[in-house]
Amino acid sequence: MTVLSLVIFLPLAVALGLSALPKLGDRAVVRTWIAASAADLALVIAMWAGHGNGGGVSYEENVRWIPSVGAGYHIGVDGLSLPLLALTSVLFLVCAIYSLRRTTQVRAFAALFLFLQTVSLGLFAALDLLLFFVFFDLSIVGMYFVIAGWGHGDRNRSALKFFLYTFLGSLALLLGFIGLYLGAEPHTFDMVELTRHPALAGSPGLAALVLLAIGLGLAIKTPAVPFHTWLPPAHTDAPAEGSAILAGILLKMGTYGFVRIAMPMLPDAWRRYAWVIIIIGLISVLYGALVAFAQEDLKRLIAYTSVNHMGYIVLALGAAGAAGDEAARRLAVTGAVTQMVSHGLITGALFLLSGVLYDRARTYDMGRFGGLARGAPVFSALIALGAFASLGLPGLSGFIAEFQIFTGVIGSGGTGLVVAGALAVPGILITAALFLRLLHRAVLGPPGELTSRVTDVHRSELAAVAPLLVLSAAIGVAPRFLLDAIEPISSAVVSLVAR
């Protein structure tokens, strides 16, 4: 077993071990979960140090799995997957720390999150389409049980809506993968081979249909407008840890799939329909910001800002397929991947902080709070920092990502892309306005009816949220360590789309 396989399956092995130790107390279960996630993060950091800054694949493992259809257990990491493996390990670790005070079905909760961690790590490391699909589908099952089992409100309905929407997307994705398999000569699900020799290169009509199927499956997962309607209820009724993983990791499976699969394996179709992708991204940016501004529920507000922020990624990837300056297109892809990491850190922190509020007052209604800074200064400082990071304040990761995206989109050349970039700018302004309104009403305003219930963050809550915001600040101030990993793969993707 390679170190990458150990990283992927260590959480699952610990989950199975917890099931075999029924006498282990709740506190010991969570500490075991924390230790496993910390060990996994340490292994990922060691892998990052050993990978270097090249554009190739490292820690590769390729074992025959279903030879009759050319599918294998093929895994590896590069500058696209490594940052997302690190993000996954960080977010699952802080969710474990955040869960130290959980008292309801702790063993099952920890085992389910460890299972989800294996699934997420496996997807970002997969270099075989069938293996990618298996992990993609299992993530839906895991999150369904998180929402249905530990959520609140109308959790069963929200979990069912999440499952049906995203499972429909996975079926469309499978059809697209089968199309790639049948269009390849020889038939294969191997992602490296399909990137080297794109299928359906001489069949533009079939390539368009395959891109439509794959794009639909990934757009639902992202989610892009109009395939986003499952997201707000799922977030609203999920537990805080579930929302953090759903926004921070599971949504990235969609955008990661665009960069890993759709762009390099269907380059002609991606170029041909680049403006359709740009328009979908632009609509998501503006719609997500406008609807978020109208929310009174804190969790729904954060959920709709996710639609907005993921829209920037789709916009940048669409621009990378349009004709224009190659350096600017590389910058757009680099910004898109940076945004995946940044959004995971910032939105994960905001959802955990919303969980603190719900734990104290059993509501997310912002109109019932005010003046929280007096009684909960640390909580207020954390939510203020998270809000400033999300609106793209310089010195934080959101600024680095969005600056690259806008520079890449507008700098690619052509009146259309300049107009698209300009039209997306109001999304930043609206996001800034809605977060400033949140801070004014809930943190700085006069006391609300539920303000007295909100005590400051506990040590476990602080230990979970603070590292995410510290990492956002680290990327905002010194992004080189992240960009050095991403830029080679961005160049490779743009060159594949341009060929």
Side-chain angles (χ1 to χ4, degrees):
M1 178 182 286
T2 66
V3 65
L4 181 54
S5 288
L6 179 61
V7 165
I8 294 170
F9 291 105
L10 174 62
L12 181 60
V14 174
L16 295 174
L18 290 177
S19 303
L21 298 170
K23 293 184 179 180
L24 206 63
D26 288 347
R27 195 81 171 175
V29 165
V30 177
R31 285 174 177 166
T32 303
W33 176 14
I34 292 171
S37 296
D40 225 35
L41 176 59
L43 289 171
V44 171
I45 293 171
M47 286 173 55
W48 192 313
H51 173 72
N53 297 324
V57 177
S58 57
Y59 303 100
E60 190 172 4
E61 185 176 352
N62 194 354
V63 179
R64 293 179 60 168
W65 178 31
I66 311 176
S68 59
V69 295
Y73 174 72
H74 190 184
I75 57 173
V77 299
D78 58 14
L80 173 60
S81 56
L82 198 53
L84 292 169
L85 289 174
L87 174 66
T88 300
S89 299
V90 167
L91 271 177
F92 275 95
L93 173 58
V94 301
C95 285
I97 295 170
Y98 186 90
S99 301
L100 273 168
R101 299 180 70 249
R102 182 169 288 279
T103 58
T104 305
Q105 296 179 297
V106 174
R107 183 186 304 274
F109 189 77
L112 192 53
F113 268 76
L114 287 164
F115 165 78
L116 269 173
Q117 184 170 355
T118 283
V119 167
S120 302
L121 292 166
L123 182 140
F124 293 130
L127 293 176
D128 181 275
L129 290 178
L130 203 55
L131 187 65
F132 179 99
F133 175 78
V134 169
F135 288 127
F136 189 93
D137 243 18
L138 290 176
S139 72
I140 299 170
V141 176
M143 186 52 64
Y144 167 82
F145 284 111
V146 168
I147 299 170
W150 289 269
H152 41 259
D154 197 359
R155 61 186 183 181
N156 291 325
R157 180 183 176 86
S158 297
L160 182 61
K161 188 173 185 178
F162 160 78
F163 184 88
L164 292 177
Y165 263 74
T166 50
F167 186 68
L168 175 64
S170 75
L171 293 178
L173 192 66
L174 180 60
L175 288 175
F177 287 176
I178 292 172
L180 285 174
Y181 170 81
L182 294 175
E185 289 295 340
H187 298 330
T188 182
F189 284 107
D190 190 274
M191 294 161 71
V192 175
E193 289 301 316
L194 288 167
T195 300
R196 287 178 184 155
H197 309 289
L200 305 170
S203 305
L206 289 175
L209 290 175
V210 171
L211 179 61
L212 176 63
I214 292 174
L216 177 62
L218 298 176
I220 290 173
K221 193 80 165 186
T222 295
V225 176
F227 311 109
H228 67 287
T229 54
W230 62 267
L231 182 69
H235 272 312
T236 302
D237 296 331
E241 303 95 323
S243 289
I245 296 303
L246 178 58
I249 305 301
L250 267 60
L251 302 191
K252 307 307 174 298
M253 294 178 179
T255 50
Y256 173 83
F258 283 126
V259 184
R260 174 66 73 199
I261 299 169
M263 294 177 72
M265 297 183 197
L266 294 164
D268 294 338
W270 190 268
R271 285 197 308 273
R272 193 174 302 114
Y273 297 100
W275 270 100
V276 175
I277 299 159
I278 290 169
I279 291 169
I280 291 172
L282 182 59
I283 292 171
S284 298
V285 166
L286 297 176
Y287 177 88
L290 286 168
V291 178
F293 189 80
Q295 300 304 310
E296 290 293 322
D297 183 293
L298 176 59
K299 253 198 168 185
R300 291 181 73 87
L301 181 150
I302 300 169
Y304 278 110
T305 61
S306 291
V307 176
N308 164 264
H309 286 110
M310 301 304 283
Y312 290 123
I313 299 174
V314 176
L315 172 64
L317 298 180
D325 181 75
E326 186 170 331
R329 291 157 67 202
R330 289 198 301 268
L331 187 60
V333 175
T334 301
V337 180
T338 306
Q339 177 78 326
M340 293 184 208
V341 176
S342 173
H343 177 266
L345 295 172
I346 297 166
T347 309
L350 288 172
F351 274 123
L352 292 179
L353 288 168
S354 70
V356 172
L357 204 62
Y358 187 84
D359 179 68
R360 311 296 195 268
R362 297 297 164 185
T363 183
Y364 301 111
D365 187 351
M366 294 183 293
R368 303 178 70 183
F369 300 97
L372 293 175
R374 296 181 184 88
V378 177
F379 171 82
S380 300
L382 291 172
I383 203 164
L385 184 56
F388 286 129
S390 189
L391 62 85
L393 190 74
L396 296 163
S397 59
F399 174 79
I400 297 295
E402 291 173 12
F403 177 79
Q404 291 181 104
I405 288 171
F406 276 94
T407 305
V409 171
I410 295 173
S412 293
T415 304
L417 286 172
V418 172
V419 171
L423 289 175
V425 169
I428 296 178
L429 299 176
I430 298 167
T431 302
L434 68 90
F435 276 115
L436 291 174
R437 186 185 68 160
L438 163 65
L439 295 177
H440 176 74
R441 293 179 63 190
V443 177
L444 301 175
E449 62 177 291
L450 297 179
T451 299
S452 60
R453 297 189 188 180
V454 182
T455 57
D456 219 339
V457 290
H458 302 294
R459 283 182 297 177
S460 59
E461 295 163 343
L462 178 61
V465 174
L468 300 179
L469 298 176
V470 168
L471 282 171
S472 176
I475 293 170
V477 173
R480 197 70 258 166
F481 77 96
L482 178 61
L483 300 183
D484 282 345
I486 297 171
E487 283 170 353
I489 199 69
S490 299
S491 298
V493 169
V494 169
S495 65
L496 289 169
V497 173
R499 67 186 173 187

